[in-house]
Amino acid sequence: MNSDLEKILLTEEQLKKKVIELGTEISSDYEGKNPLLICILRGAVIFFSDLCRAVKIPVNMDFVNLSSYNKGAFSSGEVKIRQELIADPEGKDIIIVEDIIDTGMTMEKYKQCLLDRGAGSVEICALLKKPEQKCVVDIRYKGFDIEDRFVVGYGLDYAESYRNLPYIGILKKEIYTK
Ligand code: IMP
Ligand code: MG
């Protein structure tokens, strides 16, 4: 285990099993459709690439870079589009793939943005969800409910580090409070 972690929260095996379950569910719900899977860069990139391969129906992929957290461990409450989609969302059945929902603010705002651009349907698939949800954003596909601690790994970062850990762990408090 990386020595900056307090403990491992989700192992590679647990993640793998959950991704297969989510992929299977999406495959059956979207049978006969050709959904557009949108990866929220950069945190969701590892989850996204595993999830896409667990979905057994044809999909399209696109990427958007949103910023809500700036650099540290606490939400700024603002959502900016740093890098836009290439696909036109109009009329598409969209599944937004996100790493973690904390306040839900990022997803609520981005979902509304896609609907405003004429998306046919927009659902959210999030690997992790923290308990403190201030916005009532509906998470159609959810991996794990986790405790309200700062987690890293499997794409999730703290100040751009730890994304390549193959598991998810709780970061030691002294790392982000010093
Ligand atoms: P929300 O808008 O408050 O739901 O913030 C969600 C975003 O905050 C996610 O996309 C992550 O980038 C980031 N985030 C929230 N909690 C954590 C965490 O524990 N570790 C890493 N990033 C997090
Ligand atoms: Mg993120």
PDB file of all heavy atoms in Angstrom, residues 79-113:
ATOM      1  N   VAL A  79     -18.678  25.427 -11.246  1.00  0.00           N
ATOM      2  CA  VAL A  79     -18.358  24.456 -12.284  1.00  0.00           C
ATOM      3  C   VAL A  79     -17.983  25.178 -13.567  1.00  0.00           C
ATOM      4  O   VAL A  79     -18.758  25.958 -14.101  1.00  0.00           O
ATOM      5  CB  VAL A  79     -19.567  23.528 -12.560  1.00  0.00           C
ATOM      6  CG1 VAL A  79     -19.244  22.525 -13.639  1.00  0.00           C
ATOM      7  CG2 VAL A  79     -19.967  22.812 -11.282  1.00  0.00           C
ATOM      8  N   LYS A  80     -16.800  24.895 -14.045  1.00  0.00           N
ATOM      9  CA  LYS A  80     -16.355  25.505 -15.304  1.00  0.00           C
ATOM     10  C   LYS A  80     -16.047  24.409 -16.309  1.00  0.00           C
ATOM     11  O   LYS A  80     -15.569  23.346 -15.931  1.00  0.00           O
ATOM     12  CB  LYS A  80     -15.068  26.304 -15.072  1.00  0.00           C
ATOM     13  CG  LYS A  80     -15.303  27.623 -14.382  1.00  0.00           C
ATOM     14  CD  LYS A  80     -14.015  28.459 -14.412  1.00  0.00           C
ATOM     15  CE  LYS A  80     -13.931  29.331 -13.172  1.00  0.00           C
ATOM     16  NZ  LYS A  80     -12.703  29.127 -12.412  1.00  0.00           N
ATOM     17  N   ILE A  81     -16.301  24.677 -17.594  1.00  0.00           N
ATOM     18  CA  ILE A  81     -15.913  23.728 -18.639  1.00  0.00           C
ATOM     19  C   ILE A  81     -14.553  24.165 -19.161  1.00  0.00           C
ATOM     20  O   ILE A  81     -14.410  25.222 -19.754  1.00  0.00           O
ATOM     21  CB  ILE A  81     -16.952  23.666 -19.772  1.00  0.00           C
ATOM     22  CG1 ILE A  81     -18.284  23.136 -19.210  1.00  0.00           C
ATOM     23  CG2 ILE A  81     -16.453  22.762 -20.907  1.00  0.00           C
ATOM     24  CD1 ILE A  81     -19.407  23.031 -20.209  1.00  0.00           C
ATOM     25  N   ARG A  82     -13.535  23.313 -18.882  1.00  0.00           N
ATOM     26  CA  ARG A  82     -12.178  23.633 -19.305  1.00  0.00           C
ATOM     27  C   ARG A  82     -11.903  23.130 -20.707  1.00  0.00           C
ATOM     28  O   ARG A  82     -11.068  23.664 -21.423  1.00  0.00           O
ATOM     29  CB  ARG A  82     -11.179  22.923 -18.384  1.00  0.00           C
ATOM     30  CG  ARG A  82     -10.968  23.561 -17.054  1.00  0.00           C
ATOM     31  CD  ARG A  82      -9.673  22.966 -16.534  1.00  0.00           C
ATOM     32  NE  ARG A  82      -9.513  23.206 -15.120  1.00  0.00           N
ATOM     33  CZ  ARG A  82      -9.220  22.256 -14.245  1.00  0.00           C
ATOM     34  NH1 ARG A  82      -9.081  21.011 -14.639  1.00  0.00           N
ATOM     35  NH2 ARG A  82      -9.057  22.556 -12.993  1.00  0.00           N
ATOM     36  N   GLN A  83     -12.569  22.016 -21.035  1.00  0.00           N
ATOM     37  CA  GLN A  83     -12.363  21.408 -22.352  1.00  0.00           C
ATOM     38  C   GLN A  83     -13.684  20.784 -22.756  1.00  0.00           C
ATOM     39  O   GLN A  83     -14.209  19.922 -22.060  1.00  0.00           O
ATOM     40  CB  GLN A  83     -11.286  20.334 -22.222  1.00  0.00           C
ATOM     41  CG  GLN A  83     -10.677  19.879 -23.512  1.00  0.00           C
ATOM     42  CD  GLN A  83      -9.676  18.769 -23.225  1.00  0.00           C
ATOM     43  OE1 GLN A  83      -8.746  18.919 -22.449  1.00  0.00           O
ATOM     44  NE2 GLN A  83      -9.897  17.616 -23.831  1.00  0.00           N
ATOM     45  N   GLU A  84     -14.213  21.234 -23.871  1.00  0.00           N
ATOM     46  CA  GLU A  84     -15.570  20.900 -24.281  1.00  0.00           C
ATOM     47  C   GLU A  84     -15.633  19.557 -25.014  1.00  0.00           C
ATOM     48  O   GLU A  84     -14.636  19.043 -25.505  1.00  0.00           O
ATOM     49  CB  GLU A  84     -16.049  22.061 -25.165  1.00  0.00           C
ATOM     50  CG  GLU A  84     -17.505  22.273 -25.416  1.00  0.00           C
ATOM     51  CD  GLU A  84     -18.499  21.868 -24.341  1.00  0.00           C
ATOM     52  OE1 GLU A  84     -18.608  20.659 -24.053  1.00  0.00           O
ATOM     53  OE2 GLU A  84     -19.222  22.741 -23.831  1.00  0.00           O
ATOM     54  N   LEU A  85     -16.851  18.998 -25.097  1.00  0.00           N
ATOM     55  CA  LEU A  85     -17.115  17.790 -25.874  1.00  0.00           C
ATOM     56  C   LEU A  85     -16.826  18.038 -27.348  1.00  0.00           C
ATOM     57  O   LEU A  85     -16.887  19.184 -27.803  1.00  0.00           O
ATOM     58  CB  LEU A  85     -18.612  17.461 -25.813  1.00  0.00           C
ATOM     59  CG  LEU A  85     -19.241  17.019 -24.521  1.00  0.00           C
ATOM     60  CD1 LEU A  85     -20.734  16.841 -24.750  1.00  0.00           C
ATOM     61  CD2 LEU A  85     -18.605  15.734 -24.037  1.00  0.00           C
ATOM     62  N   ILE A  86     -16.598  16.972 -28.086  1.00  0.00           N
ATOM     63  CA  ILE A  86     -16.526  17.082 -29.541  1.00  0.00           C
ATOM     64  C   ILE A  86     -17.901  16.740 -30.128  1.00  0.00           C
ATOM     65  O   ILE A  86     -18.377  17.372 -31.043  1.00  0.00           O
ATOM     66  CB  ILE A  86     -15.410  16.170 -30.101  1.00  0.00           C
ATOM     67  CG1 ILE A  86     -14.054  16.761 -29.677  1.00  0.00           C
ATOM     68  CG2 ILE A  86     -15.497  16.060 -31.620  1.00  0.00           C
ATOM     69  CD1 ILE A  86     -12.856  15.915 -30.001  1.00  0.00           C
ATOM     70  N   ALA A  87     -18.555  15.733 -29.545  1.00  0.00           N
ATOM     71  CA  ALA A  87     -19.881  15.312 -30.014  1.00  0.00           C
ATOM     72  C   ALA A  87     -20.926  16.396 -29.760  1.00  0.00           C
ATOM     73  O   ALA A  87     -20.787  17.195 -28.841  1.00  0.00           O
ATOM     74  CB  ALA A  87     -20.290  14.030 -29.291  1.00  0.00           C
ATOM     75  N   ASP A  88     -21.972  16.379 -30.613  1.00  0.00           N
ATOM     76  CA  ASP A  88     -23.119  17.248 -30.376  1.00  0.00           C
ATOM     77  C   ASP A  88     -24.111  16.449 -29.519  1.00  0.00           C
ATOM     78  O   ASP A  88     -24.578  15.390 -29.934  1.00  0.00           O
ATOM     79  CB  ASP A  88     -23.751  17.609 -31.730  1.00  0.00           C
ATOM     80  CG  ASP A  88     -24.958  18.517 -31.567  1.00  0.00           C
ATOM     81  OD1 ASP A  88     -25.346  18.818 -30.422  1.00  0.00           O
ATOM     82  OD2 ASP A  88     -25.527  18.922 -32.611  1.00  0.00           O
ATOM     83  N   PRO A  89     -24.453  16.932 -28.330  1.00  0.00           N
ATOM     84  CA  PRO A  89     -25.340  16.158 -27.459  1.00  0.00           C
ATOM     85  C   PRO A  89     -26.796  16.103 -27.932  1.00  0.00           C
ATOM     86  O   PRO A  89     -27.571  15.287 -27.430  1.00  0.00           O
ATOM     87  CB  PRO A  89     -25.242  16.894 -26.110  1.00  0.00           C
ATOM     88  CG  PRO A  89     -24.706  18.245 -26.409  1.00  0.00           C
ATOM     89  CD  PRO A  89     -23.941  18.151 -27.690  1.00  0.00           C
ATOM     90  N   GLU A  90     -27.144  16.897 -28.929  1.00  0.00           N
ATOM     91  CA  GLU A  90     -28.545  16.988 -29.328  1.00  0.00           C
ATOM     92  C   GLU A  90     -29.146  15.634 -29.726  1.00  0.00           C
ATOM     93  O   GLU A  90     -28.605  14.935 -30.576  1.00  0.00           O
ATOM     94  CB  GLU A  90     -28.725  17.978 -30.487  1.00  0.00           C
ATOM     95  CG  GLU A  90     -30.186  18.348 -30.622  1.00  0.00           C
ATOM     96  CD  GLU A  90     -30.459  19.389 -31.687  1.00  0.00           C
ATOM     97  OE1 GLU A  90     -29.526  20.121 -32.071  1.00  0.00           O
ATOM     98  OE2 GLU A  90     -31.619  19.457 -32.122  1.00  0.00           O
ATOM     99  N   GLY A  91     -30.241  15.294 -29.071  1.00  0.00           N
ATOM    100  CA  GLY A  91     -30.974  14.067 -29.378  1.00  0.00           C
ATOM    101  C   GLY A  91     -30.336  12.787 -28.857  1.00  0.00           C
ATOM    102  O   GLY A  91     -30.900  11.703 -29.016  1.00  0.00           O
ATOM    103  N   LYS A  92     -29.179  12.883 -28.232  1.00  0.00           N
ATOM    104  CA  LYS A  92     -28.465  11.668 -27.807  1.00  0.00           C
ATOM    105  C   LYS A  92     -28.937  11.151 -26.439  1.00  0.00           C
ATOM    106  O   LYS A  92     -29.363  11.919 -25.589  1.00  0.00           O
ATOM    107  CB  LYS A  92     -26.962  11.949 -27.698  1.00  0.00           C
ATOM    108  CG  LYS A  92     -26.352  12.480 -28.972  1.00  0.00           C
ATOM    109  CD  LYS A  92     -25.548  11.430 -29.709  1.00  0.00           C
ATOM    110  CE  LYS A  92     -25.235  11.867 -31.127  1.00  0.00           C
ATOM    111  NZ  LYS A  92     -24.342  13.015 -31.194  1.00  0.00           N
ATOM    112  N   ASP A  93     -28.833   9.841 -26.278  1.00  0.00           N
ATOM    113  CA  ASP A  93     -29.021   9.228 -24.963  1.00  0.00           C
ATOM    114  C   ASP A  93     -27.657   9.218 -24.286  1.00  0.00           C
ATOM    115  O   ASP A  93     -26.762   8.481 -24.691  1.00  0.00           O
ATOM    116  CB  ASP A  93     -29.546   7.794 -25.107  1.00  0.00           C
ATOM    117  CG  ASP A  93     -30.970   7.790 -25.631  1.00  0.00           C
ATOM    118  OD1 ASP A  93     -31.811   8.519 -25.066  1.00  0.00           O
ATOM    119  OD2 ASP A  93     -31.241   7.073 -26.625  1.00  0.00           O
ATOM    120  N   ILE A  94     -27.536  10.036 -23.263  1.00  0.00           N
ATOM    121  CA  ILE A  94     -26.216  10.266 -22.669  1.00  0.00           C
ATOM    122  C   ILE A  94     -26.090   9.641 -21.293  1.00  0.00           C
ATOM    123  O   ILE A  94     -27.019   9.696 -20.477  1.00  0.00           O
ATOM    124  CB  ILE A  94     -25.943  11.792 -22.591  1.00  0.00           C
ATOM    125  CG1 ILE A  94     -25.810  12.364 -24.019  1.00  0.00           C
ATOM    126  CG2 ILE A  94     -24.688  12.088 -21.763  1.00  0.00           C
ATOM    127  CD1 ILE A  94     -25.663  13.865 -24.083  1.00  0.00           C
ATOM    128  N   ILE A  95     -24.955   9.030 -21.060  1.00  0.00           N
ATOM    129  CA  ILE A  95     -24.615   8.582 -19.707  1.00  0.00           C
ATOM    130  C   ILE A  95     -23.335   9.318 -19.308  1.00  0.00           C
ATOM    131  O   ILE A  95     -22.291   9.165 -19.952  1.00  0.00           O
ATOM    132  CB  ILE A  95     -24.380   7.062 -19.638  1.00  0.00           C
ATOM    133  CG1 ILE A  95     -25.604   6.299 -20.157  1.00  0.00           C
ATOM    134  CG2 ILE A  95     -24.059   6.634 -18.196  1.00  0.00           C
ATOM    135  CD1 ILE A  95     -25.378   4.798 -20.317  1.00  0.00           C
ATOM    136  N   ILE A  96     -23.446  10.130 -18.269  1.00  0.00           N
ATOM    137  CA  ILE A  96     -22.271  10.838 -17.771  1.00  0.00           C
ATOM    138  C   ILE A  96     -21.552   9.902 -16.806  1.00  0.00           C
ATOM    139  O   ILE A  96     -22.159   9.371 -15.872  1.00  0.00           O
ATOM    140  CB  ILE A  96     -22.662  12.120 -16.998  1.00  0.00           C
ATOM    141  CG1 ILE A  96     -23.541  13.045 -17.848  1.00  0.00           C
ATOM    142  CG2 ILE A  96     -21.409  12.864 -16.552  1.00  0.00           C
ATOM    143  CD1 ILE A  96     -24.069  14.256 -17.064  1.00  0.00           C
ATOM    144  N   VAL A  97     -20.266   9.700 -17.032  1.00  0.00           N
ATOM    145  CA  VAL A  97     -19.496   8.805 -16.168  1.00  0.00           C
ATOM    146  C   VAL A  97     -18.562   9.637 -15.286  1.00  0.00           C
ATOM    147  O   VAL A  97     -17.659  10.326 -15.777  1.00  0.00           O
ATOM    148  CB  VAL A  97     -18.698   7.777 -17.009  1.00  0.00           C
ATOM    149  CG1 VAL A  97     -17.930   6.826 -16.106  1.00  0.00           C
ATOM    150  CG2 VAL A  97     -19.640   6.999 -17.925  1.00  0.00           C
ATOM    151  N   GLU A  98     -18.809   9.563 -13.985  1.00  0.00           N
ATOM    152  CA  GLU A  98     -18.097  10.413 -13.031  1.00  0.00           C
ATOM    153  C   GLU A  98     -17.423   9.545 -11.958  1.00  0.00           C
ATOM    154  O   GLU A  98     -17.895   8.455 -11.642  1.00  0.00           O
ATOM    155  CB  GLU A  98     -19.108  11.395 -12.416  1.00  0.00           C
ATOM    156  CG  GLU A  98     -18.625  12.255 -11.295  1.00  0.00           C
ATOM    157  CD  GLU A  98     -17.531  13.244 -11.655  1.00  0.00           C
ATOM    158  OE1 GLU A  98     -16.532  12.824 -12.260  1.00  0.00           O
ATOM    159  OE2 GLU A  98     -17.665  14.426 -11.292  1.00  0.00           O
ATOM    160  N   ASP A  99     -16.341  10.034 -11.419  1.00  0.00           N
ATOM    161  CA  ASP A  99     -15.641   9.263 -10.383  1.00  0.00           C
ATOM    162  C   ASP A  99     -16.380   9.274  -9.050  1.00  0.00           C
ATOM    163  O   ASP A  99     -16.647   8.242  -8.462  1.00  0.00           O
ATOM    164  CB  ASP A  99     -14.194   9.778 -10.200  1.00  0.00           C
ATOM    165  CG  ASP A  99     -14.094  11.287  -9.977  1.00  0.00           C
ATOM    166  OD1 ASP A  99     -15.138  11.983  -9.924  1.00  0.00           O
ATOM    167  OD2 ASP A  99     -12.956  11.784  -9.871  1.00  0.00           O
ATOM    168  N   ILE A 100     -16.731  10.475  -8.579  1.00  0.00           N
ATOM    169  CA  ILE A 100     -17.289  10.571  -7.233  1.00  0.00           C
ATOM    170  C   ILE A 100     -18.253  11.742  -7.130  1.00  0.00           C
ATOM    171  O   ILE A 100     -18.021  12.802  -7.719  1.00  0.00           O
ATOM    172  CB  ILE A 100     -16.141  10.688  -6.191  1.00  0.00           C
ATOM    173  CG1 ILE A 100     -16.672  10.692  -4.761  1.00  0.00           C
ATOM    174  CG2 ILE A 100     -15.263  11.897  -6.438  1.00  0.00           C
ATOM    175  CD1 ILE A 100     -15.569  10.446  -3.720  1.00  0.00           C
ATOM    176  N   ILE A 101     -19.345  11.524  -6.426  1.00  0.00           N
ATOM    177  CA  ILE A 101     -20.305  12.597  -6.166  1.00  0.00           C
ATOM    178  C   ILE A 101     -20.166  12.981  -4.699  1.00  0.00           C
ATOM    179  O   ILE A 101     -20.315  12.140  -3.810  1.00  0.00           O
ATOM    180  CB  ILE A 101     -21.758  12.136  -6.417  1.00  0.00           C
ATOM    181  CG1 ILE A 101     -21.925  11.479  -7.780  1.00  0.00           C
ATOM    182  CG2 ILE A 101     -22.734  13.298  -6.189  1.00  0.00           C
ATOM    183  CD1 ILE A 101     -22.200  12.372  -8.936  1.00  0.00           C
ATOM    184  N   ASP A 102     -19.863  14.246  -4.483  1.00  0.00           N
ATOM    185  CA  ASP A 102     -19.753  14.742  -3.111  1.00  0.00           C
ATOM    186  C   ASP A 102     -20.991  15.598  -2.831  1.00  0.00           C
ATOM    187  O   ASP A 102     -22.002  15.102  -2.346  1.00  0.00           O
ATOM    188  CB  ASP A 102     -18.446  15.519  -2.972  1.00  0.00           C
ATOM    189  CG  ASP A 102     -18.215  16.031  -1.555  1.00  0.00           C
ATOM    190  OD1 ASP A 102     -18.996  15.672  -0.658  1.00  0.00           O
ATOM    191  OD2 ASP A 102     -17.259  16.791  -1.340  1.00  0.00           O
ATOM    192  N   THR A 103     -20.963  16.880  -3.157  1.00  0.00           N
ATOM    193  CA  THR A 103     -22.163  17.703  -2.983  1.00  0.00           C
ATOM    194  C   THR A 103     -23.195  17.439  -4.087  1.00  0.00           C
ATOM    195  O   THR A 103     -24.371  17.715  -3.911  1.00  0.00           O
ATOM    196  CB  THR A 103     -21.819  19.207  -3.041  1.00  0.00           C
ATOM    197  OG1 THR A 103     -21.345  19.515  -4.353  1.00  0.00           O
ATOM    198  CG2 THR A 103     -20.767  19.560  -2.008  1.00  0.00           C
ATOM    199  N   GLY A 104     -22.737  16.946  -5.232  1.00  0.00           N
ATOM    200  CA  GLY A 104     -23.618  16.721  -6.367  1.00  0.00           C
ATOM    201  C   GLY A 104     -23.741  17.946  -7.263  1.00  0.00           C
ATOM    202  O   GLY A 104     -24.372  17.913  -8.310  1.00  0.00           O
ATOM    203  N   MET A 105     -23.093  19.006  -6.855  1.00  0.00           N
ATOM    204  CA  MET A 105     -23.179  20.281  -7.561  1.00  0.00           C
ATOM    205  C   MET A 105     -22.657  20.176  -8.998  1.00  0.00           C
ATOM    206  O   MET A 105     -23.296  20.652  -9.933  1.00  0.00           O
ATOM    207  CB  MET A 105     -22.334  21.312  -6.811  1.00  0.00           C
ATOM    208  CG  MET A 105     -22.780  22.719  -7.003  1.00  0.00           C
ATOM    209  SD  MET A 105     -23.455  23.348  -5.491  1.00  0.00           S
ATOM    210  CE  MET A 105     -21.978  23.509  -4.503  1.00  0.00           C
ATOM    211  N   THR A 106     -21.492  19.563  -9.143  1.00  0.00           N
ATOM    212  CA  THR A 106     -20.879  19.444 -10.471  1.00  0.00           C
ATOM    213  C   THR A 106     -21.823  18.726 -11.429  1.00  0.00           C
ATOM    214  O   THR A 106     -22.067  19.190 -12.545  1.00  0.00           O
ATOM    215  CB  THR A 106     -19.555  18.648 -10.393  1.00  0.00           C
ATOM    216  OG1 THR A 106     -18.798  19.099  -9.264  1.00  0.00           O
ATOM    217  CG2 THR A 106     -18.737  18.805 -11.646  1.00  0.00           C
ATOM    218  N   MET A 107     -22.353  17.594 -10.984  1.00  0.00           N
ATOM    219  CA  MET A 107     -23.197  16.790 -11.857  1.00  0.00           C
ATOM    220  C   MET A 107     -24.535  17.437 -12.139  1.00  0.00           C
ATOM    221  O   MET A 107     -25.045  17.369 -13.249  1.00  0.00           O
ATOM    222  CB  MET A 107     -23.416  15.395 -11.249  1.00  0.00           C
ATOM    223  CG  MET A 107     -22.296  14.457 -11.528  1.00  0.00           C
ATOM    224  SD  MET A 107     -21.871  14.356 -13.295  1.00  0.00           S
ATOM    225  CE  MET A 107     -20.518  15.483 -13.423  1.00  0.00           C
ATOM    226  N   GLU A 108     -25.110  18.078 -11.148  1.00  0.00           N
ATOM    227  CA  GLU A 108     -26.390  18.742 -11.360  1.00  0.00           C
ATOM    228  C   GLU A 108     -26.253  19.816 -12.439  1.00  0.00           C
ATOM    229  O   GLU A 108     -27.055  19.899 -13.359  1.00  0.00           O
ATOM    230  CB  GLU A 108     -26.894  19.361 -10.054  1.00  0.00           C
ATOM    231  CG  GLU A 108     -28.282  19.933 -10.190  1.00  0.00           C
ATOM    232  CD  GLU A 108     -28.773  20.566  -8.902  1.00  0.00           C
ATOM    233  OE1 GLU A 108     -28.248  21.611  -8.527  1.00  0.00           O
ATOM    234  OE2 GLU A 108     -29.663  19.989  -8.280  1.00  0.00           O
ATOM    235  N   LYS A 109     -25.195  20.605 -12.310  1.00  0.00           N
ATOM    236  CA  LYS A 109     -25.010  21.694 -13.277  1.00  0.00           C
ATOM    237  C   LYS A 109     -24.685  21.164 -14.667  1.00  0.00           C
ATOM    238  O   LYS A 109     -25.184  21.666 -15.662  1.00  0.00           O
ATOM    239  CB  LYS A 109     -23.907  22.638 -12.796  1.00  0.00           C
ATOM    240  CG  LYS A 109     -24.371  23.419 -11.586  1.00  0.00           C
ATOM    241  CD  LYS A 109     -23.434  24.558 -11.251  1.00  0.00           C
ATOM    242  CE  LYS A 109     -24.015  25.356 -10.100  1.00  0.00           C
ATOM    243  NZ  LYS A 109     -22.997  26.098  -9.353  1.00  0.00           N
ATOM    244  N   TYR A 110     -23.844  20.137 -14.724  1.00  0.00           N
ATOM    245  CA  TYR A 110     -23.452  19.640 -16.035  1.00  0.00           C
ATOM    246  C   TYR A 110     -24.599  18.906 -16.732  1.00  0.00           C
ATOM    247  O   TYR A 110     -24.780  19.019 -17.941  1.00  0.00           O
ATOM    248  CB  TYR A 110     -22.200  18.765 -15.951  1.00  0.00           C
ATOM    249  CG  TYR A 110     -21.684  18.461 -17.333  1.00  0.00           C
ATOM    250  CD1 TYR A 110     -21.337  19.500 -18.203  1.00  0.00           C
ATOM    251  CD2 TYR A 110     -21.617  17.163 -17.803  1.00  0.00           C
ATOM    252  CE1 TYR A 110     -20.929  19.247 -19.493  1.00  0.00           C
ATOM    253  CE2 TYR A 110     -21.194  16.899 -19.095  1.00  0.00           C
ATOM    254  CZ  TYR A 110     -20.853  17.943 -19.934  1.00  0.00           C
ATOM    255  OH  TYR A 110     -20.460  17.697 -21.217  1.00  0.00           O
ATOM    256  N   LYS A 111     -25.382  18.166 -15.956  1.00  0.00           N
ATOM    257  CA  LYS A 111     -26.542  17.471 -16.525  1.00  0.00           C
ATOM    258  C   LYS A 111     -27.500  18.494 -17.138  1.00  0.00           C
ATOM    259  O   LYS A 111     -27.983  18.318 -18.255  1.00  0.00           O
ATOM    260  CB  LYS A 111     -27.247  16.658 -15.430  1.00  0.00           C
ATOM    261  CG  LYS A 111     -28.451  15.901 -15.928  1.00  0.00           C
ATOM    262  CD  LYS A 111     -29.095  15.049 -14.846  1.00  0.00           C
ATOM    263  CE  LYS A 111     -30.339  14.366 -15.416  1.00  0.00           C
ATOM    264  NZ  LYS A 111     -30.967  13.459 -14.451  1.00  0.00           N
ATOM    265  N   GLN A 112     -27.752  19.565 -16.432  1.00  0.00           N
ATOM    266  CA  GLN A 112     -28.644  20.620 -16.922  1.00  0.00           C
ATOM    267  C   GLN A 112     -28.086  21.246 -18.195  1.00  0.00           C
ATOM    268  O   GLN A 112     -28.821  21.525 -19.130  1.00  0.00           O
ATOM    269  CB  GLN A 112     -28.851  21.681 -15.831  1.00  0.00           C
ATOM    270  CG  GLN A 112     -29.998  22.626 -16.140  1.00  0.00           C
ATOM    271  CD  GLN A 112     -31.309  21.899 -16.493  1.00  0.00           C
ATOM    272  OE1 GLN A 112     -31.763  21.035 -15.742  1.00  0.00           O
ATOM    273  NE2 GLN A 112     -31.898  22.212 -17.655  1.00  0.00           N
ATOM    274  N   CYS A 113     -26.780  21.397 -18.229  1.00  0.00           N
ATOM    275  CA  CYS A 113     -26.130  21.973 -19.401  1.00  0.00           C
ATOM    276  C   CYS A 113     -26.363  21.098 -20.640  1.00  0.00           C
ATOM    277  O   CYS A 113     -26.658  21.601 -21.727  1.00  0.00           O
ATOM    278  CB  CYS A 113     -24.647  22.149 -19.056  1.00  0.00           C
ATOM    279  SG  CYS A 113     -23.572  22.417 -20.425  1.00  0.00           S
TER     280      CYS A 113
END
